[in-house]
Amino acid sequence: MTAAAEARDLFARIAGVEPAGTWSAPGRVNLIGEHTDYNDGFVLPFAIDRRTHVVAAPRSDRRIRVASTFAAEPVEVGIDDLDALFPSAGAPRVPEWAAYPLGVAWALQDAAAAPSGVDIAVASDVPIGAGLSSSAAIEGATAVALDDLWDLGSDRPTLARAGRRAENEAVGAPTGIMDQMAAMLGRPDAAIFLDCRSLRAEVVDLGFAAAGLEVVVMDTGVTHAHATGGYRDRREACERGARILGVPALRDLAPEDLDRARDLLDDVTFRRVRHVVTEDRRVLDTVRTLRSAGPTAIGPLLDASHASMRDDFEISVPELDTAVEAAREAGAIGARMTGGGFGGAAIALTPRERVGAVAEAVASAFSRSGFAAPRVFTVTASEGARRDS
Ligand code: GLA
């Protein structure tokens, strides 16, 4: 059964009324620009052809009930209880999966004149924990649904911000805005070049299909959680670097500033800063290269990005490095881990005729290293959040 059909089925089971509509939002792959978003920098993600589907209808009371194929039981709360559910410090008082849609309702309710209760059913075919932002897909699908049901008329950045607020304050993961903007703005065969300071977005044609290229996703199966641990630590190192160097954000540094940074910072903080500064530059170079020379020319930038994440930002893991190396040896023109790191997936930009060879090479490298079998599949750049019916 498709995820859309699962969501319809689930809705029929919990609500027993006709749905008012169905909405969906995609996961994303970040082509390049990692850990630059919360440094006010540049990113180049694209929405993928894996989506989260939401089926919903308003209720006559002020209760919100969410059900998901991830959980046996729906969660039901009053709209007036949302504030108390998400204490600014500490874990949410609902199961984590429910904090995403309820967090979006909490973030959007202030904009609504008189928000009605709502029944929401969620199902998804975005792999979870793979670094493909299944969370932004849930947030995006819920945000466009509530925007319609509550008649908010919000623009896309406003809905993206509501998703980010859910993630930061309801779930407690200190992430940036990239994933939510990608889920909102995605376009077929194009990436979104986003300035995370101004939120100015440009659509950049990828031209992968015309160039005979596929994006192969290699999901390591190593799970990561951005609410804890390494992600938060990297973010703090970036903020410390910016403070010591006297700039509002690392975005305000150019590669020429790195000599001064090396003198002022300890080695670890310096390498975190160098990753962000050089990664911002690689995003700009990738956009320029896509436009001037086409997608077959961006491989070295993807490779350099991976090396910087592995050596300077230190967010890769052996499984990701193995996937990237095996893919390149089997004919990928460039490969890098994508997303927050510490697990999740890597991508390999691969000539169509080498996709099978890349999948086999990655699987056998994993087996030789004693790693659990990876999931390898291709994705295409697709449309952002939308109403489907
Ligand atoms: C996660 C976060 C994003 C971004 C990436 C790293 O996906 O949700 O905001 O910081 O990690 O680029």
Side-chain angles (χ1 to χ4, degrees):
M1 200 180 347
T2 64
E6 279 179 341
R8 279 195 298 277
D9 250 36
L10 184 60
F11 184 85
R13 282 210 302 282
I14 65 154
V17 295
E18 280 298 302
T22 67
W23 296 261
S24 65
R28 64 98 189 91
V29 153
N30 189 19
L31 187 59
I32 196 161
E34 226 64 81
H35 287 259
T36 45
D37 61 352
Y38 56 79
N39 288 301
D40 274 4
F42 303 106
V43 292
L44 191 62
F46 61 88
I48 59 173
D49 52 338
R50 303 285 190 116
R51 305 181 75 84
T52 293
H53 299 264
V54 154
V55 177
R59 293 165 58 114
S60 52
D61 58 13
R62 286 174 58 80
R63 313 232 8 116
I64 300 191
R65 183 164 40 168
V66 285
S68 157
T69 48
F70 313 134
E73 292 298 322
V75 169
E76 187 176 327
V77 302
I79 291 184
D80 305 307
D81 302 330
L82 286 170
D83 276 335
L85 272 182
F86 301 122
S88 49
R93 301 196 173 106
V94 289
E96 188 179 291
W97 69 267
Y100 294 96
L102 291 174
V104 170
W106 169 67
L108 285 176
Q109 58 163 343
D110 288 344
S116 65
V118 39
D119 283 326
I120 301 174
V122 182
S124 183
D125 62 18
V126 185
I128 292 176
L132 301 181
S133 213
S134 54
S135 57
I138 298 186
E139 290 152 8
T142 309
V144 285
L146 291 178
D147 185 61
D148 276 353
L149 294 175
W150 288 348
D151 208 11
L152 302 178
S154 316
D155 60 19
R156 297 255 144 175
T158 302
L159 296 179
R161 274 193 218 97
R164 182 192 182 180
R165 210 174 146 210
E167 187 108 17
N168 291 171
E169 294 177 48
V171 180
T175 53
I177 192 80
M178 166 171 74
D179 305 339
Q180 292 79 12
M181 286 295 274
M184 280 297 152
L185 299 178
R187 291 272 211 295
D189 204 23
I192 305 303
F193 170 39
L194 180 69
D195 177 336
C196 297
R197 173 168 278 165
S198 65
L199 292 194
R200 207 176 95 82
E202 275 176 52
V203 175
V204 178
D205 288 339
L206 289 170
F208 289 161
L213 294 173
E214 298 274 358
V215 177
V216 178
V217 174
M218 303 164 288
D219 175 6
T220 62
V222 178
T223 51
H224 63 281
H226 294 330
T228 50
Y231 187 98
R232 192 179 287 279
D233 170 83
R234 294 305 182 278
R235 196 176 166 142
E236 282 163 9
C238 292
E239 283 161 8
R240 184 167 65 245
R243 210 168 39 242
I244 296 172
L245 295 166
V247 287
L250 294 185
R251 156 15 175 328
D252 299 299
L253 297 174
E256 301 74 60
D257 295 318
L258 287 172
D259 282 343
R260 186 172 67 94
R262 192 195 294 273
D263 293 340
L264 292 175
L265 302 174
D266 65 85
D267 176 59
V268 169
T269 311
F270 169 68
R271 287 186 293 113
R272 305 300 186 245
V273 168
R274 180 165 63 184
H275 164 71
V276 173
V277 172
T278 57
E279 185 80 348
D280 267 335
R281 187 53 65 100
R282 282 185 288 271
V283 174
L284 301 177
D285 288 348
T286 302
V287 171
R288 194 172 325 109
T289 304
L290 280 168
R291 287 176 171 158
S292 62
T296 49
I298 67 171
L301 289 160
L302 304 182
D303 293 347
S305 171
H306 186 79
S308 177
M309 291 188 283
R310 184 191 59 212
D311 302 336
D312 272 355
F313 218 58
E314 296 181 282
I315 54 172
S316 190
V317 294
E319 287 83 347
L320 287 166
D321 295 338
T322 300
V324 160
E325 279 155 31
R328 272 189 216 131
E329 275 163 26
I333 65 168
R336 63 187 288 280
M337 54 146 282
T338 186
F342 306 103
I347 53 166
L349 191 58
T350 306
R352 196 170 294 132
E353 64 281 4
R354 302 300 301 168
V355 168
V358 163
E360 274 170 35
V362 174
S364 56
F366 268 52
S367 137
R368 274 198 309 278
S369 304
F371 301 150
R375 279 188 297 174
V376 181
F377 52 93
T378 59
V379 291
T380 53
S382 300
E383 206 185 325
R386 62 177 187 227
R387 183 175 190 140
D388 291 309
S389 67

